[in-house]
Amino acid sequence: MAVTSAGEEVLGSFHGSEEFPIEWDEGEKELFWIYDDLHIPNPVSPMFFDIGGWWLTCDHMFRRFGTPFACDWVAKQINGYVYTAAVPADSSIHSEATEYQARYVPRVPRDPEHAGKIGAYLGWVLPHYAGNFLDWWRQRLRPEIERNFEYLDGYDTQNASFVELAVLLEDAIDIHDRHWKIHWMLNFAQFASTQALNALLEEQKGEAAAGLMGRLQSSLEDRNWDSIEDLWRMKEEIKGDPELAGAFEGETAADVTRALEGSERGRRFLEERVVAHQKDFGYKAIWSHEFAFRTWREDPAPVLEAVRGYLATDYDYPSNIASVRDDLEAAKKEALEGVEGEAGAELEGALNRSLSMNPLTPDHHFYVDQGTNARLRLVLIAIGAKLVGAGTLDDPEDVMYLRYNELRLLMADQGAFDARAIVGDRRDAREAAFAKRPPSWVGTATQTALDFPYNALWGFPEKFFAGEPSTTGEVRGLAASPGVVEGSARYVRSLDEFDQVKEGEILVCRMTNPAWVVLFTKISGLVTEAGGAVSHPAVVAREFGIPAVVGTTNAGERIKTGDRVRVNGTVGVVEILS
């Protein structure tokens, strides 16, 4: 029996192959690394890996809460893809990592008994976060985030010097760091309230609890719904105005824009409705955890495409949100039904606490994953534009292919090195990485590693025990949203392909985030390669009542556009019929 240096049984290992070679630093092989297809399914840009990662503040999270199951979370770039590993709170672990282009040694406790003792603190403090965080968020933390946004949004980057932009970049990185610390506070508080509810549901409802848990996570008032409502109101305004409706008959967003710019009424609509939507809701991209994709704030095309989609389907926001509300009320009734006395009071209290936290899931995406990352991108683009003006780069987007310290050197001395050559090589390398198929995990699997609570977001430990998918006429994943639907598949890789999705098709993609919500008004089923039962595609599919299977790992490889497929969201199976 193989064991780790800490004496734990090795359940499996993968340290590289000819098709997927891996270079290891000291101690890395003994960690369990999961391919982060949940956040960064595509090959990552150098700049995002250096300064944009969600993992950069995780040591703060684990220290703040006193977690016995991990003390840090680190990332590794392998063949262009991001893998992350939770570092157990084990004093015997010694491993290398990289943060901000610097050698980093994950913080592990010096006390060998730390994990066995600190759990008492976590259990003591976590309920306090669950009971109070919503007030902290509304009264203190969200206003802090909004003040930081006001500073970044109001900065005159066009007239700033290189040194002023250099300082602004550091400010934006500091803000990013602070907002992600808030994110983890929110995440743990919400996790605590959800876990408390789920434990009581399992105790009182047994097998029926599984079906209730997902339904009870629906939110009815949040910034995501605000965005959807605003798009719907645009759609309604267009329906009632023949001039605007005519403009939206254009085949592309560019056609619509030209038609709107050709009339006074159209120009007013663009300024009062489209630009206003961009300012309020445009700080997001097709992939939030990457700087290489343009935001809706920069490009009105996604807004116009979303409205076109709403027009094509005559999307009915009031009835949709009413349906979600009705299902949530029914789930609440089912949860409390037959549970009386002290047990009923305890369950009702846990239910109310959990429900009050539900809006924090879409809202933390809006303010942190989307809003904060987008604003850091916009600072980088401003620097890129200035470097283009100085004759150093050809495209503002080229900064995403530089490393953090390379960019700082280039701001100080625009002739410091041949940036064009570096950017060209890295663009080629990133494009070549798309041809590789990253495995779901690498490194060393142990029971401790598999038991890490957050692994469920990536579909583990189920994915580990299922093994890497084989080539058959069936794709297996996780049951995310119940129901069975048969139809034509449409594989979508990026925002540019949104307009190819037809009514009633089954969407197949790597992962979704709130920018993809517009497609949920058109599709009849959903299959993703990434995600777990509580990930974004699973939650939104349940809210829209769309059968969904998530966490399939290789659906995009197996299912092609035009294939006839049957999605069984109840058992987590996708059959390829033709």
Side-chain angles (χ1 to χ4, degrees), residues 215-216 218-220 225 318-334 542-543:
R215 294 168 63 198
L216 290 170
S218 296
S219 169
L220 296 170
W225 279 118
S319 67
N320 196 293
I321 196 167
S323 176
V324 175
R325 181 180 291 107
D326 290 345
D327 183 68
L328 182 59
E329 289 299 320
K332 288 161 58 178
K333 184 178 179 181
E334 290 175 38
R542 288 193 292 265
E543 289 181 348

Side-chain angles (χ1 to χ4, degrees), residues 5 8 79 190 287 330 355 420 446 465 473 511 519 550 559:
S5 59
E8 187 171 6
N79 298 315
Q190 188 169 33
W287 296 112
L355 290 173
R420 285 186 173 87
T446 64
F465 292 112
M511 184 56 182
L519 295 183
V550 302
I559 303 171

Side-chain angles (χ1 to χ4, degrees), residues 51 135 140 152 156 217 237 348 360 369 472 494 522 530:
I51 68 173
D135 289 335
R140 178 168 56 88
L152 294 175
D156 183 8
Q217 292 170 13
E237 183 175 339
E348 186 172 11
L360 294 182
D369 302 56
T472 66
S494 71
K522 301 171 70 174

